[in-house]
Amino acid sequence: MKIQRKPQPRPLLLVNIGQLLTLRPASFNPGPRRGADLKELSIIHDGAVLSVGGKIVSVGTSEDALRDPWFRKNRRKVVEINCAGKVVLPGFVDSHTHPVFVGPRLVDFEKRIEGASYEEIANAGGGIRSSLAGVRKAGKAALSHKVLATLRDMAAYGTTTVEAKSGYGLTVESELKSLEAISAAASLWPGTVVATLLGAHVVPKEFQGCSQKYVETVCTEMIPRVAKRKLAQFVDVFCDKGAFTAEETKQVFEAAKAHGLSVRAHMGQLSETPLASFLKFEPASFDHMDHVNADDVSLLAKHDTVATLVPGANYFLGLRQYPNARHLIDSGVPVALATDYNPGTSPTISMPMAMSLACTHMKMLPAEAVAAATINGAWSLHLADRKGSIEPGKDADFAIFGVSDYREIPYWFGVNHCVATILSGEVASRD
Ligand SMILES: [Zn+2]
């Protein structure tokens, strides 16, 4: 995919869109989409969308767009894309990725095929800790080059906003280096990147047996330095057995909040942790959520914390169990979908693949998967005012799919039907 960089994108009209999935709210309910609202896509048939300066200015039918007086007067200045009946939707918001690593984890892959569990692999020196050496050794330029290549690949699959975590360095220097690499890559990519400090990913070997000391390093060194240099908007913690306890998670949340950073957490992937005591920190998102009790589901239904489901991890780990998306959605919990792109448990950059798994293994309807992959991802990144739906005033972030019905996006699994992606008004196409 070639990205054409221009300082100020020309006005852009997408016209003759077979299905334009605007995701304009269909109800007056504020906040992230929940319950029945999750499947309301507000589709315009034979639609058109005009953007100027990277922002959407009008959304409607092709007929209205071509009659628009401004458009008729300025037609020569406008880049016009005839979508010829294809589907256009908001660019995907991949709200959970770990792109700062050096190589794949092929030994873990084979061990798992031979029957080893997540924890057995970690105990044998594989898992997250085996990615540390490469990142600690790598230069910032090499890491940022890898991140940029990943962002471009993601755009080729329709993603325009990416949350990118550090977390494979786990020293103050290498976590800062990872975030600097994300920032350098983001400055060369026309899409939007939200950086997250995941210093509390696992306890590194040097601190084994004294996790409290490592948590102090995260709280008193990493977080203040990251906040001061504005290298991240969020702080994440892997709260689970084998990683960090609920108490340690709260210490990290406390430090993050004290330094003006928002929080999110990996929660309930391997075991259940009661959630009530975290809510005072207003976490933007709890991610994974394979294990969650009924009381906490009712509690989350009353909060704006998004449950971010990452079925790619369940798929790649060969698990039979997936998060109970139906129960979450039907109970009113706002649900988002993300890839969890990482070298150990979910090496995919494809949001359409995550959506397909959501449909087949978590019984989400294609419409619910679309909203979870766009507007609710935006909510989980505090970007819902700019991203996740096609409405005037929002960023011109679109994905064009070479299909005639949006349900084909999760249906044709493992095939990339995204033909072009618009990132803040800039066109990146595959031809
Ligand atoms: Zn993750």
Side-chain angles (χ1 to χ4, degrees):
M1 172 174 274
K2 264 213 310 265
I3 307 268
Q4 298 139 23
R5 293 280 299 153
K6 291 184 212 90
Q8 182 64 281
R10 283 172 63 191
L12 175 72
L13 178 73
L14 305 186
V15 71
N16 296 328
I17 300 165
Q19 293 181 337
L20 172 59
L21 279 51
T22 68
L23 281 93
R24 193 182 58 231
S27 77
F28 291 107
N29 300 328
R33 307 284 162 91
R34 6 174 144 242
D37 285 351
L38 192 65
K39 56 174 188 273
E40 294 298 337
L41 301 182
S42 303
I43 298 174
I44 298 174
H45 296 273
D46 194 12
V49 52
L50 176 69
S51 61
V52 177
K55 295 278 180 190
I56 298 167
V57 294
S58 71
V59 181
T61 62
S62 296
E63 206 187 332
D64 290 343
L66 296 173
R67 268 207 314 243
D68 179 86
W70 183 91
F71 173 72
R72 288 167 68 141
K73 211 171 112 203
N74 294 278
R75 192 161 191 168
R76 275 180 304 116
K77 288 191 224 155
V78 177
V79 176
E80 223 175 297
I81 297 181
N82 182 350
C83 294
K86 297 183 180 72
V87 169
V88 172
L89 70 161
F92 296 123
V93 178
D94 192 347
S95 56
H96 182 144
T97 84
H98 304 252
V100 194
F101 60 88
V102 175
R105 292 217 297 261
L106 302 174
V107 176
D108 294 10
F109 185 42
E110 284 190 329
K111 274 193 184 152
R112 194 171 301 115
I113 292 165
E114 289 165 350
S117 72
Y118 184 101
E119 285 138 309
E120 283 163 352
I121 289 170
N123 293 337
I128 293 164
R129 290 183 189 92
S130 65
S131 288
L132 301 186
V135 169
R136 288 178 180 181
K137 243 190 294 165
K140 188 178 88 182
L143 290 176
S144 112
H145 193 80
K146 277 219 73 175
V147 174
L148 181 58
T150 302
L151 294 172
R152 287 177 172 161
D153 286 345
M154 288 171 159
Y157 282 76
T159 298
T160 53
T161 298
V162 176
E163 185 260 12
K165 305 175 197 293
S166 65
Y168 292 118
L170 308 188
T171 62
V172 176
E173 296 317 318
S174 61
E175 286 297 301
L176 288 171
K177 177 176 70 181
S178 298
L179 292 171
E180 286 165 1
I182 290 170
S183 155
S187 71
L188 296 172
W189 190 58
T192 303
V193 177
V194 175
T196 295
L197 168 67
L198 179 54
H201 200 181
V202 286
V203 178
K205 221 169 48 213
E206 317 79 272
F207 286 89
Q208 214 127 63
C210 47
S211 63
Q212 187 50 43
K213 255 188 122 166
Y214 183 67
V215 171
E216 272 165 36
T217 305
V218 172
C219 294
T220 62
E221 293 185 58
M222 283 183 199
I223 289 173
R225 286 175 70 176
V226 166
K228 188 162 176 216
R229 293 182 51 201
K230 297 192 174 12
L231 282 171
Q233 287 99 304
F234 286 96
V235 171
D236 191 347
V237 182
F238 185 9
C239 178
D240 219 316
K241 60 179 181 188
F244 295 91
T245 64
E247 277 320 305
E248 290 166 338
T249 301
K250 280 180 253 180
Q251 283 177 48
V252 176
F253 278 7
E254 200 91 56
K257 286 281 173 178
H259 286 86
L261 298 172
S262 301
V263 299
R264 53 202 315 112
H266 287 63
M267 197 61 85
Q269 181 183 9
L270 309 167
S271 60
E272 187 192 306
T273 303
L275 300 178
S277 64
F278 299 110
L279 291 173
K280 67 171 180 210
F281 299 102
E282 299 176 311
S285 171
F286 288 137
D287 300 39
H288 284 282
M289 300 290 276
D290 296 67
H291 303 275
V292 56
N293 69 53
D295 290 345
D296 282 348
V297 170
S298 316
L299 193 62
L300 286 182
K302 299 186 200 92
H303 285 80
D304 282 351
T305 301
V306 173
T308 300
L309 310 182
V310 290
N314 300 65
Y315 164 78
F316 194 71
L317 291 170
L319 304 181
R320 244 178 247 176
Q321 281 302 113
Y322 281 71
N324 195 342
R326 270 287 33 106
H327 179 53
L328 291 166
I329 295 167
D330 296 341
S331 306
V333 177
V335 163
L337 280 173
T339 60
D340 192 13
Y341 173 66
N342 80 79
T345 61
S346 191
T348 180
I349 46 131
S350 169
M351 287 295 280
M353 183 67 196
M355 291 163 63
S356 190
L357 291 170
C359 295
T360 56
H361 289 266
M362 302 197 302
K363 308 300 172 210
M364 286 172 66
L365 290 167
E368 293 172 325
V370 168
T374 54
I375 187 67
N376 273 5
W379 274 105
S380 91
L381 298 180
H382 296 164
L383 287 177
D385 56 335
R386 282 171 55 201
K387 308 285 184 186
S389 64
I390 299 179
E391 297 177 84
K394 286 202 172 185
D395 295 346
D397 290 344
F398 316 118
I400 306 177
F401 275 76
V403 293
S404 52
D405 187 304
Y406 75 89
R407 292 172 293 185
E408 293 178 74
I409 297 171
Y411 174 90
W412 301 109
F413 76 95
V415 184
N416 188 10
H417 281 297
C418 179
V419 293
T421 308
I422 321 297
L423 308 103
S424 294
E426 286 192 35
V427 182
S429 80
R430 288 212 287 160
D431 39 32

